[in-house]
Amino acid sequence: MDKSDKYKPIGLFDSGVGGLTVYKELKTLLPNEDYIYFGDTLNMPYGEKSEEQLTEIARKIFDFFASQQVKAVVMACNTTSAICYDKLKDDYDFKIYPVIQSVSKILSARDVKRIGVFATPATVNSHAYSKYILGKEVFEVGCPEWVKIVENNEINTPESINKIKNRIDEMMKFNPERIVLGCTHYPYLADVIGKFYPEQNLINPAKYFAQYIKDDLSESGLLGANDGGYEDIFVSAEPVKFMLSSERFYPISKLPKLLKL
Ligand code: DGL
């Protein structure tokens, strides 16, 4: 990468609207960048896919971003960060930011001993948070239903509230001092989780992640200076549904474009 690369866009991806929780923080911190967001709604939920499936999907997404000549790819998705980052990190010449690895150092420095993590089944099975958060007791609880609750915009139905409460009950056995929302979809559920667990003790890694990316781009001389910046949002299925589900976190003004990889 050389200094002229700073004018290139930043790519972000997730299985759907979850990555918008990261995008929102990043855009606030870095308003003068151009962004390309890809929500892979066709393949959602990632958390129930195998390592082979996820790596094939992630490679196609990385290839797409390579074709768009991005300077960096933000893995705004815990599941692919846990499962695919190590396999892909040396194959591309842009910067790659995986969410779990990028924020774990900051989480390790928190002044608490017992940290809970809500995450997708694939992330929990990989034990990535236990591996990367150092010096703490880490308790990982998988929440298989939660991503669909967010994508289907069913957050406040009695059935959804019940499903969310069941996972919180499971977590409470460990008595965690803080709980990390270890899937980028889960900040959409913070209000509901907050009915059963103090909301101020929830950690949304997105803020730390955005700061980490800003610092790293800055150190590498790659911070953009594009006045205002543009954004392009793509999804692989159901653009209208994506637009409706995004409203709670990052209302988008234009219908996303359809992109099948
Ligand atoms: N939001 C993603 C994550 O952070 C993927 C969730 C899914 O599709 O299962 O893991």
Side-chain angles (χ1 to χ4, degrees), residues 13-19 21 37 40 43-49 54 75-82 99-100 119-123 129 143-144 146-148 151 181-186:
F13 76 95
D14 178 48
S15 62
V17 294
T21 60
Y37 184 95
D40 193 6
N43 290 311
M44 181 280 298
Y46 280 177
E48 283 151 51
K49 291 202 152 38
L54 287 169
M75 301 179 79
C77 166
N78 291 259
T79 308
T80 50
S81 299
V99 57
I100 301 176
T120 67
T123 301
Y129 272 100
C143 308
W146 289 14
V147 166
K148 280 202 178 150
E151 289 290 333
L181 300 175
C183 165
T184 52
H185 282 79
Y186 298 171

Side-chain angles (χ1 to χ4, degrees), residues 2 23 48 61 91 98 106 115 120 133 152 154 160 168 182 186 188 190 199:
D2 65 53
Y23 183 36
E48 283 151 51
I61 296 172
D91 295 351
I106 299 161
I115 297 189
T120 67
I133 298 179
N152 294 341
E154 291 169 345
S160 299
I168 297 169
Y186 298 171
Y188 286 76
E199 206 177 328

Side-chain angles (χ1 to χ4, degrees), residues 97-108:
Y97 297 111
V99 57
I100 301 176
Q101 295 84 336
S102 305
V103 301
S104 288
K105 207 168 160 191
I106 299 161
L107 297 176
S108 305

Side-chain angles (χ1 to χ4, degrees), residues 81-146:
S81 299
I83 314 286
C84 314
Y85 171 68
D86 284 340
K87 297 188 185 65
L88 303 179
K89 66 180 171 32
D90 300 323
D91 295 351
Y92 296 88
D93 62 5
F94 42 71
K95 291 216 161 239
I96 303 172
Y97 297 111
V99 57
I100 301 176
Q101 295 84 336
S102 305
V103 301
S104 288
K105 207 168 160 191
I106 299 161
L107 297 176
S108 305
R110 296 292 292 251
D111 189 20
V112 289
K113 290 194 181 74
R114 304 170 67 79
I115 297 189
V117 178
F118 285 131
T120 67
T123 301
V124 167
N125 289 339
S126 76
H127 297 296
Y129 272 100
S130 298
K131 182 170 151 197
Y132 291 107
I133 298 179
L134 304 176
K136 314 280 178 205
E137 281 188 86
V138 177
F139 311 99
E140 297 156 297
V141 170
C143 308
E145 313 91 351
W146 289 14

